[in-house]
Amino acid sequence: MDNKQFKQYLQLLKKEKRFVRLYQLIILVVFFGGWELFSRLEWIDRLIFSSPTRVWHTFIEKVSDGSLTLHVSVTLMETIIGFIAGTLLGTLIATVLWWSPMLSKILDPYLVILNAMPKVALGPILIVALGPGYFSIIAMGALISIIITTIVVYTAFKGVDPNYSKVLQTFGATRWQTFKEVILPASFPTIISTLKVNVGLSWVGVIVGEFLVASKGLGYLIIYGFQVFNFNLVLMSLLIIAFFATIMYQIVELIEKAIIKNNG
Amino acid sequence: MGFLELEHIHHSYFSSTQAKEVLRDISLTIQEGEFVSFIGPSGCGKTTLLSIIAGLFRSTEGKVFIDNEEISPHNQSLIGYMLQQDYLFPWKTIEENVTIGLKLIERNKKSHKVTANALLQEIGLPHVGSSYPRELSGGMRQRVALARTLAVNPKILLLDEPFSALDYQSKLKLEDLVVETLKAYHKTAILVTHDIGEAIAMSERVFLFSANPGTLHKVFEIPTELQELSPFDVRQHPAYSEVFQTIWKELESLG
């Protein structure tokens, strides 16, 4: 009897999953189908909104002349390095602040100012300081996530139940041992969740950086397409960005699952 | 000279609005292998006193000696400290949790595994070494916490209400286990509790503290016939309720 009900329950779960997948697919088809249809019927301006088939043609063309691979790999590289650098540096600064409560008190108002400041506004200064190249774009991708990472991770460090540290102190642990054995592992869930935010932020930083200065990359393609009024190019770049940003996010989620497994 | 000596301990906490005196002139002596309890109303500074003995911070005045060595944050003795909850690290296996103290003290990893296995055997959980804390019940976790404190072979055990978060049945079982294990290793122990019954059942002497500021009010000697029994059996003994009444009245008189 129980077994039968359990099987029914499993079937119900399966059915529900199929239902969800079906509607997700329908939304996708309706979006691209509607876009194509409206464009062909000229209900929307074809010059500005293009159409899926025209975007697809542009895509094939750019792939076959090899230029797309270059642009995509440049942007991906910049984003990944910016993302990793931003997260690592932010965590490192948070560690220093945790280490020295006095320093954290002194720096507190400056962190607030830096956090409130729109980082992309620093773009022109970065370019002048670091030169118009990959380096300033990567710096932008990192800069945009450093401060928020610092603040969130530092808050997590401080929020670790002091009794865990007390356990180690009764064994005569040094501050470094306490950090390594308790503070850092207890904060892993928070660090991972900042990774998720940072993925999105790094894309913003890099794309804006490329708007400003680049001669390669997806941000450059968007700006170039806009300047020559080739919106096939702009929309294609957007779709590619959406694709790769999603993949990066999924990878971070996989890492999260692997690390958080025993942290609950 | 006793194994643990407290000499005129005073302690005050300072905040931006006030200075609060929590401990006033505490002097006491505990012999090696003795099991004593600290009881008293909340706010009598029991936990503060325990932290000072552990060398977590220095008292405003006074001195602590363990085995003739003065204790301070820079010269901690080997102590085992059990808290209200187990505070096992959820990201470490049971074995890693048990050996964390050893890992911090010395790095020879091979002997750690042997110690861990022996201790887990001792506390009646021989097969959980590779499990994670979340897979264990509250009582089992607190037993693992006991193994963790014993792993470093501490000179003295400080038990800060370690049974208060457990259900009654687990609590009774763990009391027996703790007394039995500590007797076997001939360990000195201080139990902080607000449960008079627990104090009588487990210890040889009971130190009653009064609050605001914390002072040592009275010391009760538990009758020898009770000391020899396990905590569970003490509770069934006719002499138990008599001792309970005496301490209860004294505690009531403190208000």
Side-chain angles (χ1 to χ4, degrees):
Chain A
M1 182 64 192
D2 273 357
N3 202 6
K4 197 179 155 200
Q5 279 180 339
F6 182 58
K7 268 182 189 158
Q8 278 176 345
Y9 175 71
L10 286 185
Q11 268 170 355
L12 196 75
L13 277 188
K14 231 184 211 170
K15 209 172 147 188
E16 194 181 282
K17 204 173 167 187
R18 272 207 301 265
F19 185 81
V20 171
R21 285 270 179 265
L22 177 70
Y23 274 86
Q24 285 171 340
L25 195 67
I26 288 176
I27 290 176
L28 194 72
V29 171
V30 166
F31 177 72
F32 284 102
W35 182 7
E36 182 72 37
L37 188 72
F38 288 0
S39 173
R40 291 199 177 201
L41 295 174
E42 301 217 5
W43 289 3
I44 53 177
D45 190 333
R46 286 170 79 170
L47 195 59
I48 295 172
F49 294 104
S50 181
S51 76
T53 44
R54 293 169 71 176
V55 170
W56 178 250
H57 288 312
T58 312
F59 178 71
I60 296 295
E61 182 189 313
K62 293 282 170 194
V63 168
S64 50
D65 71 9
S67 61
L68 190 63
T69 333
L70 177 72
H71 291 298
V72 168
S73 51
V74 164
T75 302
L76 265 184
M77 180 212 49
E78 290 165 346
T79 310
I80 291 170
I81 297 178
F83 161 71
I84 292 173
T87 310
L88 284 185
L89 284 174
T91 307
L92 196 71
I93 298 172
T95 309
V96 172
L97 292 180
W98 177 83
W99 200 270
S100 165
M102 186 54 80
L103 187 68
S104 91
K105 269 183 202 160
I106 294 171
L107 293 186
D108 182 63
Y110 297 102
L111 278 178
V112 172
I113 294 169
L114 286 174
N115 187 43
M117 176 116 147
K119 260 69 71 181
V120 289
L122 294 173
I125 295 169
L126 277 183
I127 290 160
V128 174
L130 300 175
Y134 299 132
F135 203 59
S136 49
I137 298 173
I138 291 170
M140 187 91 120
L143 194 66
I144 202 168
S145 55
I146 284 180
I147 303 298
I148 191 69
T149 306
T150 303
I151 291 174
V152 172
V153 172
Y154 175 60
T155 310
F157 284 169
K158 279 201 305 183
V160 174
D161 188 331
N163 283 310
Y164 282 120
S165 309
K166 190 173 175 181
V167 167
L168 287 198
Q169 277 156 22
T170 62
F171 292 127
T174 61
R175 206 161 160 73
W176 168 243
Q177 284 173 324
T178 308
F179 181 76
K180 194 170 64 113
E181 298 290 343
V182 176
I183 304 295
L184 191 62
S187 307
F188 266 143
T190 313
I191 294 175
I192 298 284
S193 68
T194 65
L195 287 186
K196 283 182 171 175
V197 177
N198 290 353
V199 168
L201 287 177
S202 301
W203 277 99
V204 174
V206 165
I207 297 297
V208 171
E210 287 182 349
F211 280 2
L212 291 176
V213 70
S215 52
K216 292 185 198 78
L218 294 166
Y220 160 76
L221 279 189
I222 291 177
I223 278 295
Y224 174 76
F226 169 63
Q227 282 165 351
V228 301
F229 230 72
N230 178 356
F231 278 85
N232 299 334
L233 200 57
V234 173
L235 286 162
M236 180 200 72
S237 308
L238 276 178
L239 289 176
I240 292 172
I241 290 171
F243 177 75
F244 281 106
T246 310
I247 292 207
M248 264 178 85
Y249 191 84
Q250 296 287 343
I251 292 173
V252 171
E253 268 201 333
L254 284 179
I255 296 174
E256 178 179 29
K257 272 189 192 142
I259 289 184
I260 306 300
K261 202 174 52 189
N262 292 309
N263 234 336
Chain B
M1 203 177 190
F3 186 68
L4 168 71
E5 295 265 353
L6 302 188
E7 288 180 1
H8 307 291
I9 299 285
H10 286 266
H11 194 72
S12 303
Y13 284 123
F14 302 106
S15 71
S16 55
T17 49
Q18 61 170 345
K20 188 173 169 19
E21 189 184 15
V22 282
L23 292 171
R24 179 182 288 172
D25 195 23
I26 311 258
S27 295
L28 55 87
T29 302
I30 294 166
Q31 302 305 324
E32 186 162 16
E34 202 179 4
F35 195 124
V36 304
S37 293
F38 289 178
I39 64 169
S42 51
C44 71
K46 292 170 293 196
T47 300
T48 306
L49 190 56
L50 224 50
S51 301
I52 290 170
I53 295 172
L56 294 181
F57 49 81
R58 191 187 280 279
S59 58
T60 339
E61 277 175 54
K63 286 177 177 172
V64 180
F65 293 94
I66 294 177
D67 211 3
N68 295 320
E69 260 192 78
E70 190 177 350
I71 299 303
S72 74
H74 302 293
N75 185 26
Q76 278 175 271
S77 188
L78 268 182
I79 51 140
Y81 200 114
M82 268 180 94
L83 296 146
Q84 266 110 333
Q85 285 165 41
D86 52 78
Y87 290 107
L88 298 179
F89 302 113
W91 53 88
K92 288 180 188 292
T93 63
I94 296 302
E95 188 184 303
E96 288 167 342
N97 265 293
V98 171
T99 54
I100 180 74
L102 290 173
K103 191 178 161 193
L104 296 177
I105 293 164
E106 38 113 17
R107 302 232 160 242
N108 177 13
K109 288 233 171 112
K110 273 182 194 155
S111 64
H112 293 178
K113 202 176 169 66
V114 179
T115 314
N117 285 337
L119 279 166
L120 289 174
Q121 187 85 37
E122 188 84 24
I123 58 163
L125 296 170
H127 303 301
V128 298
S130 53
S131 310
Y132 283 90
R134 67 185 147 80
E135 299 169 77
L136 271 56
S137 73
M140 287 158 90
R141 292 167 59 129
Q142 196 59 293
R143 275 195 273 168
V144 173
L146 173 66
R148 175 175 66 187
T149 50
L150 289 172
V152 294
N153 194 18
K155 285 185 174 171
I156 186 164
L157 268 99
L158 307 173
L159 312 172
D160 190 358
E161 302 186 37
F163 313 112
S164 58
L166 297 177
D167 61 275
Y168 196 62
Q169 201 188 357
S170 309
K171 167 188 151 97
L172 292 183
K173 279 192 197 159
L174 193 62
E175 282 178 12
D176 278 11
L177 180 75
V178 167
V179 167
E180 199 181 296
T181 317
L182 297 193
K183 269 194 182 146
Y185 289 101
H186 197 64
K187 291 286 177 209
T188 314
I190 301 173
L191 169 73
V192 163
T193 179
H194 47 236
D195 179 345
I196 302 173
E198 189 173 285
I200 299 168
M202 295 185 72
S203 40
E204 293 156 38
R205 282 192 291 161
V206 175
F207 292 78
L208 176 63
F209 289 83
S210 59
N212 300 321
T215 40
L216 181 53
H217 183 71
K218 202 166 180 179
V219 184
F220 299 91
E221 191 91 27
I222 302 298
T224 332
E225 70 256 36
L226 293 185
Q227 287 184 26
E228 281 157 6
L229 298 173
S230 75
F232 187 84
D233 293 331
V234 171
R235 286 193 163 87
Q236 322 299 324
H237 197 279
Y240 168 80
S241 53
E242 200 183 310
V243 181
F244 191 98
Q245 288 301 330
T246 317
I247 299 181
W248 172 258
K249 274 184 195 137
E250 202 63 45
L251 191 60
E252 282 285 275
S253 74
L254 295 176

